[in-house]
Amino acid sequence: MTTSRAFPPPAPVFATADIEVLTMHEARCGMSNFDRRDMFKVVLVVEGANELHYTTRSYAVDRPALVFTNRLIPYAWEVVEGSTDQQGHLCCFSESFLHSAMRGVSLKDTVLYKVEGNPVYFLDAEQLRYFTDAFTRMRRDLQSDYAHRDDLLRNQLSIIIHEAARLQPATAQHAPVNAAERITSLFLNLLEVQFPVTAQLREPVLKSASDYADRMAIHVNHLNAMVKEVTGRSTTSHINERLVMEAKLLLAHTDWSVGEIAYSLGFEYPTYFNNFFKKHTGTTPLTFRRAHVALA
């Protein structure tokens, strides 16, 4: 039996705007509460029994492990009832920090982006010592006033990611119950975590049911069937509604050009965005913007 535990928000002790390094105790048992959806996370579990529900799979994390979560993939972290206190380390970092740490490497090929892969890597005693030392060094470096501190942190993070790629990933223990509701919840969460769009240079917004199915590592027909069963609406209608909402906000509250908004929302060409917006609103993006300015 598992139960989610709620804790008050932790006060980050070792943090900058782009990276935070905490013990599980400092983070109040880590991932269930440390809900920075704009951040990637690497968790070193030393002690404690937990379950990770990740896309459509579940993992029993009941021994030392390295766990990765992708900011674009919804997850649920549950502490097994009666488990000992959680011991370990937690590192959260922004996508821009990750990009600078992994220069010359396609992020799509790393353990952080491979959704079809497994996010849990169980560790033997030697591996546990190695990663514990790595997290300890990151905490030490984050506290220092060394001029090139961020470079040290990027190097440590890069090493952790590369070393994890050499490990044998865990195997999912079981599929979650209530598959339709869980898959639908994962889809809706994945849709929502991509917004708001606050920068033009970012990971492209997912725009099709196939994009979401690929991220969730399930067949698109299965995703469509589950979402329709639970919500009574198609996957595409949910996606289009959210894209239109975000497009209206960007048109009304930014000075970005229509082309910049189109690219930020994942459209390959501004013309595609114009056609999409007019189809769903009955007006063009420029006409909508002008009307909003006039009202304002």
Side-chain angles (χ1 to χ4, degrees):
M1 178 179 179
T2 61
T3 179
S4 296
R5 298 180 182 178
F7 296 90
V13 179
F14 306 109
T16 69
D18 292 313
I19 185 169
E20 305 179 20
V21 184
L22 303 168
T23 66
M24 296 284 273
H25 175 71
E26 290 165 344
R28 299 295 194 274
C29 297
M31 292 201 298
S32 64
N33 180 62
F34 215 79
D35 196 20
R36 290 288 302 277
R37 291 295 175 179
D38 58 330
M39 306 284 271
F40 290 87
K41 303 180 185 72
V42 182
V43 180
L44 177 64
V45 178
V46 177
E47 291 184 12
N50 314 272
E51 282 197 357
L52 173 68
H53 304 296
Y54 190 82
T55 67
T56 59
R57 309 182 298 277
S58 290
Y59 300 85
V61 186
D62 53 3
R63 55 189 185 274
L66 200 63
V67 182
F68 294 87
T69 64
N70 183 328
R71 71 171 182 85
L72 293 178
I73 299 299
Y75 63 83
W77 179 268
E78 296 178 341
V79 179
V80 174
E81 188 175 12
S83 171
T84 58
D85 288 339
Q86 306 297 297
Q87 299 292 329
H89 299 271
L90 171 70
C91 177
C92 301
F93 47 93
S94 68
E95 190 164 12
S96 60
F97 193 88
L98 174 64
H99 274 278
S100 59
M102 301 293 288
R103 290 190 180 96
V105 176
S106 172
L107 297 181
K108 298 296 184 183
D109 294 329
T110 69
V111 293
L112 289 164
Y113 275 87
K114 283 190 171 182
V115 180
E116 73 278 5
N118 293 329
V120 179
Y121 296 78
F122 291 122
L123 307 175
D124 60 27
E126 181 180 352
Q127 292 164 341
L128 178 60
R129 284 194 297 270
Y130 178 88
F131 286 109
T132 299
D133 288 343
F135 275 88
T136 300
R137 286 192 296 271
M138 291 182 74
R139 285 170 58 81
R140 178 201 64 198
D141 294 339
L142 197 51
Q143 296 177 71
S144 76
D145 56 2
Y146 178 53
H148 302 289
R149 178 190 63 180
D150 285 355
D151 290 333
L152 289 177
L153 291 167
R154 291 186 183 98
N155 289 338
Q156 291 293 346
L157 179 59
S158 177
I159 288 171
I160 289 173
I161 293 172
H162 281 297
E163 287 295 331
R166 300 166 59 181
L167 300 176
Q168 180 66 34
T171 302
Q173 262 65 40
H174 58 83
V177 296
N178 301 322
E181 291 184 3
R182 181 170 290 279
I183 288 174
T184 300
S185 176
L186 289 171
F187 160 71
L188 293 175
N189 286 333
L190 178 54
L191 174 62
E192 195 58 36
V193 297
Q194 297 180 85
F195 302 100
V197 173
T198 57
Q200 295 173 29
L201 299 177
R202 62 190 299 276
E203 187 73 10
V205 170
L206 306 179
K207 302 197 315 303
S208 71
S210 295
D211 290 338
Y212 285 86
D214 289 343
R215 287 283 188 178
M216 297 171 66
I218 61 176
H219 194 280
V220 63
N221 291 344
H222 186 51
L223 173 62
N224 288 334
M226 297 296 97
V227 173
K228 181 73 171 181
E229 176 184 331
V230 174
T231 69
R233 296 171 54 195
S234 69
T235 309
T236 300
S237 72
H238 285 284
I239 298 169
N240 290 343
E241 179 182 67
R242 193 61 183 85
L243 282 171
V244 169
M245 181 189 304
E246 192 67 17
K248 288 180 176 180
L249 290 171
L250 292 173
L251 288 166
H253 301 292
T254 74
D255 59 0
W256 299 358
S257 69
V258 171
E260 289 169 339
I261 292 174
Y263 296 134
S264 74
L265 292 176
F267 290 88
E268 189 175 0
Y269 300 106
T271 303
Y272 294 172
F273 171 64
N274 285 339
N275 294 338
F276 169 86
F277 192 86
K278 186 172 184 179
K279 176 182 177 180
H280 292 282
T281 67
T283 188
T284 67
L286 277 179
T287 301
F288 175 86
R289 171 172 274 175
R290 289 168 183 156
H292 182 272
V293 171
L295 287 174

